Amino acid sequence: MAAKYALIMAGGVGSRFWPMSTASYPKQFHDFLGAGRSLLQQTFDRMAAFIAPENILILTNERYASLVLEQLPAVTQDQLVLEPCMRNTAPCILYAAMKIAKKDPEAQLLVAPSDHWIEDQTAFAADVEKCFKASETPGLLCTLGITPSFPNTGFGYIETGVSDSGAVSPDGLLKVVQFREKPDYKTAQSFIAAGNFSWNAGIFIWSVPTILNAFEEFEPELFDLFKLGEAYYNTAREVDFITKQYPLAANISIDYAILERASDIYMCPASFDWNDLGTWGALYEKLPKDASQNAVAHTQLLASNARGNMVMAPAHKKVVIEGLEDFIVVDQEGILMIYPRAKEQDIKVLVAQVKDTFGPEYT
């Protein structure tokens, strides 16, 4: 039986969670939900329940290596897949797959983000195991799809349908027709009405030989670039090779590079509750609310005539608000942000303005 591996994607900055998430301390290293464990730590725990801890790799930017090792003492330096620069998801997944292939050519691989909220970890493991079994078939790629609860325009979608003539669908999995980009609201409504669309959670399962063959077929230049380092992977010379070659990689997502072009892809409908915790609004939805629908994290709140606010501040501070409705209030290390919840998608733009006005140390 092929060994199982996991790749936790922990290299993003999470700028939509500014000012809590910054370039020097991104959101995956924070405990947003008051669980006593950061999002990264919770993700590692989730994987380690059914994958050997030594087979869990952490993909991150080289500047966060010490943070990862500090938060995950069970992880060794050899388990880090370090990017010298950001090049989207396809190059780093290819890099990790080649590292694993050097050690274990027939391995199976789970790829998942580090910052998702999943409460039912048993159901998650069962769904992944179902995909691991399916991915034993050569050439077959698997993904998990989330049943949409509303027409969200912030997610990509997975369209599923009846299997092609002659194709055998693995038990409980649906044949993917195509991956769809983030839609406008009207298109998202049509997806929900159609009933055969799921949110793309960015969780993938495949065998290492299958994903390497897919890269060789669909992205031969990228494949050849990383193939040059085959002799260096998992050796002392790997860092020098990656430092020189990684910046030459195309800036391309795994969706564009492989998933939108491959034909033998199956989706497992997720049987667990899921939240990508991508915005303050997503966090607001997961936190308990007071009688006025204010969500509070870490701090204590005294609110008067205030409703629907998302409030976060250090535990040693108290927050007093009057007359605010549907705002995000965040006090974090030299920055106080009071911003309408309805404009949360503009926070990325706001971060650029803060950088220009106050300096990069605040972003």
Side-chain angles (χ1 to χ4, degrees):
M1 181 179 294
K4 296 178 175 65
Y5 287 75
L7 176 66
I8 299 176
M9 310 286 280
V13 174
S15 56
R16 287 181 297 172
F17 257 119
W18 185 87
M20 191 74 172
S21 180
T22 63
S24 61
Y25 207 92
K27 70 170 183 173
Q28 58 267 28
F29 300 108
H30 288 276
D31 174 16
F32 281 98
L33 296 171
R37 302 278 283 170
S38 71
L39 295 177
L40 172 62
Q41 289 170 321
Q42 292 182 71
T43 302
F44 184 87
D45 294 344
R46 188 180 312 130
M47 306 301 183
F50 63 100
I51 294 175
E54 64 270 19
N55 287 352
I56 301 175
L57 279 62
I58 314 296
L59 179 283
T60 193
N61 190 281
E62 58 187 18
R63 71 184 295 188
Y64 306 133
S66 60
L67 268 176
V68 171
L69 295 174
E70 177 185 330
Q71 291 205 353
L72 300 176
V75 168
T76 67
Q77 184 75 35
D78 291 341
Q79 291 170 253
L80 302 186
V81 182
L82 300 178
E83 298 176 293
C85 57
M86 296 183 72
R87 285 294 181 269
N88 217 313
T89 52
C92 61
I93 289 173
L94 175 56
Y95 171 28
M98 286 196 170
K99 277 177 63 68
I100 294 170
K102 178 82 177 293
K103 175 184 176 183
D104 197 337
E106 301 302 317
Q108 292 180 295
L109 178 61
L110 161 66
V111 177
S114 61
D115 51 3
H116 289 180
W117 177 89
I118 294 172
E119 185 167 323
D120 191 342
Q121 301 195 24
T122 301
F124 171 79
D127 288 348
V128 171
E129 290 287 4
K130 189 182 298 183
C131 290
F132 271 139
K133 181 173 177 56
S135 68
E136 292 174 0
T137 301
L140 192 147
L141 303 165
C142 293
T143 184
L144 298 184
I146 309 300
T147 302
S149 53
F150 65 99
N152 195 313
T153 60
F155 300 147
Y157 284 71
I158 304 169
E159 181 182 357
T160 54
V162 179
S163 297
D164 293 337
S165 177
V168 178
S169 178
D171 290 342
L173 273 63
L174 304 173
K175 185 74 184 293
V176 173
V177 174
Q178 61 180 322
F179 286 79
R180 305 289 288 266
E181 295 301 310
K182 296 175 183 178
D184 58 30
Y185 187 72
K186 185 176 181 180
T187 303
Q189 286 182 307
S190 71
F191 288 171
I192 302 299
N196 63 323
F197 287 81
S198 301
W199 288 336
N200 182 1
I203 303 173
F204 309 110
I205 302 95
W206 40 53
S207 73
V208 166
T210 292
I211 193 61
L212 290 180
N213 289 339
F215 271 107
E216 188 172 17
E217 178 181 358
F218 298 117
E219 289 292 332
E221 290 186 11
L222 192 63
F223 180 86
D224 289 344
L225 176 68
F226 284 93
K227 186 73 172 176
L228 291 172
E230 188 172 33
Y232 308 134
Y233 295 136
N234 308 324
T235 74
R237 300 178 66 184
E238 179 181 328
V239 173
D240 286 342
F241 171 80
I242 288 298
T243 299
K244 293 174 183 176
Q245 299 298 109
Y246 203 90
L248 304 178
N251 189 340
I252 185 171
S253 71
I254 191 67
D255 299 68
Y256 279 122
I258 305 298
L259 300 175
E260 293 184 6
R261 300 153 81 179
S263 58
D264 204 9
I265 307 179
Y266 289 85
M267 186 201 77
C268 176
S271 61
F272 51 85
D273 288 335
W274 172 89
N275 191 304
D276 81 326
L277 290 183
T279 64
W280 286 109
L283 179 62
Y284 173 85
E285 294 300 324
K286 297 314 303 179
L287 290 172
K289 318 290 190 300
D290 65 16
S292 297
Q293 294 301 299
N294 297 303
V296 183
H298 303 309
T299 187
Q300 290 180 287
L301 175 68
L302 175 60
S304 176
N305 193 30
R307 183 175 184 83
N309 299 293
M310 171 69 241
V311 180
M312 177 176 280
H316 67 274
K317 287 194 173 184
K318 314 300 180 198
V319 177
V320 180
I321 57 176
E322 162 76 33
L324 280 185
E325 184 170 344
D326 294 330
F327 269 76
I328 304 165
V329 180
V330 182
D331 185 347
Q332 172 70 14
E333 294 184 8
I335 288 284
L336 172 64
M337 182 184 76
I338 305 172
Y339 207 73
R341 280 179 53 207
K343 297 181 67 177
E344 67 172 10
Q345 294 295 337
D346 296 339
I347 290 179
K348 270 192 170 184
V349 178
L350 176 65
V351 171
Q353 295 172 342
V354 169
K355 183 177 181 180
D356 291 341
T357 304
F358 300 122
E361 64 270 26
Y362 292 99
T363 59

